[in-house]
Amino acid sequence: MILRLLLLLAMTGTAAAAEPQVRFLAPLDGARAWGEGWIEVETSLRPLGRVEIRVDGRLVGVSREAPHRLPFDFESGERSRAIRADVFAADYGSRARATIHTAPFELGEAVTIDWVEVPVRLRTSTPLSPAAFRLFENGVEQRVREVLPRRGPARFVFVIDRSLSMDDELIARALAGSREVARSFRDGDSAEVIFFNHRVSNAVPLGEADAVPSAGGTALRDALASIRPSSRTIALVISDGGDRNSFLGREEALEAVAVGNLSIHALALGGGAGAEFLRELARRTGGSFRRTTRARLETDLAAAYADLDGRWVVAYQSGNEGAGWRRIELRPVVKGVRVESARTGYYAE
């Protein structure tokens, strides 16, 4: 019995020893790394003395408290880097080491780095710096470059439903409410209007737009997909929520609209699948969704603008490759800061 117990303890100790005591979180072994990024490791050794990070044999940083991460400029990424972490614990009586190698870019290979802005509703009373957040895209940490307490100049697009279910008076009030909102714009802002029913009109400057009569069906998804932003763009959408005439299906429209420089703020006068589509777009793009009524339309439109105008902006350069949905996770690391809502991701082309 004693012999079996000793064998079991020995086997358990061997299994525990097989677990890595030092592990790289960023970059990963064999991954490509370029530009300014992070080197981060975690360790199970206790009590910890220090963690030393070396790149190509040169000491670049020392950490004594978690998280053990430091910024490093990988430059063009044309050559492989050997990154080593040495951990000392228990009054330097215990030591562990881990080494990884980054993969170089091949000659002639190109990479696109996307600048991504994340509109954020924050609860905080203090100024914040990029160090106040950790941001992950598809699980890979990205370096936060800017944290701004207010948005910059933006292109505003008012997307107004003119289908038969919206009467002429309601359309006129939506246009009047849009003009009232524009009176609060910041320097550098611009405003356009897109009217839609089963057809989508071209965008026209807000100051040149005239009220149009209600008629026809509804192509909400097609209208939003027609915006095609090339810079910071904010869409304020007023619709009764129906969609019976769009050529684009739901998933196609989400991919076309939920891109990195467009946020959707929607006011829905009715229910149905169109309203739920607007709610999902608002969630993905860091916007807002409100159900409104004829009596509250102008008031709710002003509230939607006040909400978006009071949001912070967290910006970063994405180092991920490939098209498709990129999930964003933003974590505050400063006490007293809470993220109430933020963009959850975007589609990369």
Side-chain angles (χ1 to χ4, degrees):
M1 181 67 181
I2 295 176
L3 180 59
R4 290 178 61 189
L5 181 59
L6 290 174
L7 286 172
L8 180 60
L9 289 172
M11 291 174 64
T12 304
T14 301
E19 292 293 326
Q21 296 175 304
V22 185
R23 185 166 70 96
F24 275 88
L25 301 180
L28 299 178
D29 192 28
R32 293 167 176 167
W34 67 93
E36 296 182 0
W38 294 101
I39 298 174
E40 181 173 3
V41 300
E42 65 177 7
T43 178
S44 60
L45 288 182
R46 298 290 185 275
L48 185 66
R50 57 192 273 151
V51 177
E52 297 178 354
I53 305 294
R54 287 177 168 80
V55 178
D56 298 331
R58 180 173 64 88
L59 182 67
V60 295
V62 175
S63 173
R64 292 180 173 82
E65 294 181 357
H68 307 294
R69 58 191 174 109
L70 69 151
F72 184 79
D73 188 356
F74 291 93
E75 300 175 341
S76 65
E78 292 180 354
R79 62 190 180 94
S80 174
R81 300 276 193 171
I83 309 176
R84 192 180 87 201
D86 292 289
V87 179
F88 303 88
D91 293 329
Y92 296 86
S94 299
R95 300 186 181 189
R97 172 179 294 177
T99 302
I100 63 168
H101 294 82
T102 63
F105 284 102
E106 298 178 3
L107 185 63
E109 190 175 8
V111 62
T112 299
I113 300 180
D114 297 312
W115 180 262
V116 184
E117 291 187 347
V118 182
V120 184
R121 186 191 294 125
L122 291 175
R123 178 170 293 183
T124 179
S125 58
T126 60
L128 298 173
S129 70
F133 298 94
R134 296 184 70 185
L135 188 146
F136 299 83
E137 186 184 278
N138 285 350
V140 179
E141 184 160 11
Q142 311 291 319
R143 182 182 178 187
V144 175
R145 302 286 185 147
E146 292 182 343
V147 176
L148 306 174
R150 54 189 288 178
R151 65 172 180 84
R155 171 196 176 203
F156 281 83
V157 182
F158 294 90
V159 184
I160 301 177
D161 188 345
R162 55 156 298 196
S163 62
L164 190 60
S165 54
M166 298 272 291
D167 60 62
D168 293 356
E169 180 190 357
L170 197 52
I171 295 169
R173 291 178 64 176
L175 184 58
S178 301
R179 289 190 171 126
E180 185 62 29
V181 163
R183 293 167 61 89
S184 301
F185 277 1
R186 301 176 184 270
D187 291 341
D189 289 344
S190 64
E192 303 166 15
V193 176
I194 292 175
F195 289 107
F196 72 94
N197 51 14
H198 56 284
R199 294 188 177 94
V200 180
S201 73
N202 293 325
V204 297
L206 177 61
E208 300 176 12
D210 295 321
V212 294
S214 62
T218 313
L220 172 63
R221 296 188 295 270
D222 290 354
L224 292 173
S226 74
I227 296 174
R228 299 291 183 183
S230 58
S231 59
R232 183 187 298 114
T233 303
I234 299 170
L236 284 157
V237 188
I238 303 168
S239 174
D240 65 1
D243 194 333
R244 300 180 299 277
N245 301 100
S246 285
F247 288 102
L248 292 177
R250 183 180 184 277
E251 293 306 315
E252 291 177 295
L254 284 174
E255 187 170 341
V257 179
V259 293
N261 50 7
L262 174 62
S263 59
I264 304 294
H265 296 263
L267 279 72
L269 287 143
E276 290 310 307
F277 174 73
L278 288 173
R279 186 193 297 274
E280 177 64 12
L281 266 181
R283 185 187 70 82
R284 292 196 184 203
T285 63
S288 63
F289 174 87
R290 288 172 169 78
R291 291 196 179 275
T292 189
T293 65
R294 177 187 295 271
R296 297 201 322 264
L297 177 59
E298 292 97 324
T299 300
D300 286 344
L301 185 56
Y305 175 76
D307 175 25
L308 70 88
D309 199 46
R311 297 195 180 198
W312 294 62
V313 176
V314 175
Y316 69 99
Q317 282 184 317
S318 170
N320 282 325
E321 300 179 61
W325 178 250
R326 296 181 180 177
R327 186 183 70 259
I328 296 173
E329 181 184 359
L330 184 66
R331 303 176 187 171
V333 294
V334 176
K335 288 184 178 180
V337 177
R338 192 175 82 181
V339 175
E340 295 187 334
S341 69
R343 178 187 294 277
T344 62
Y346 67 102
Y347 283 97
E349 296 181 345

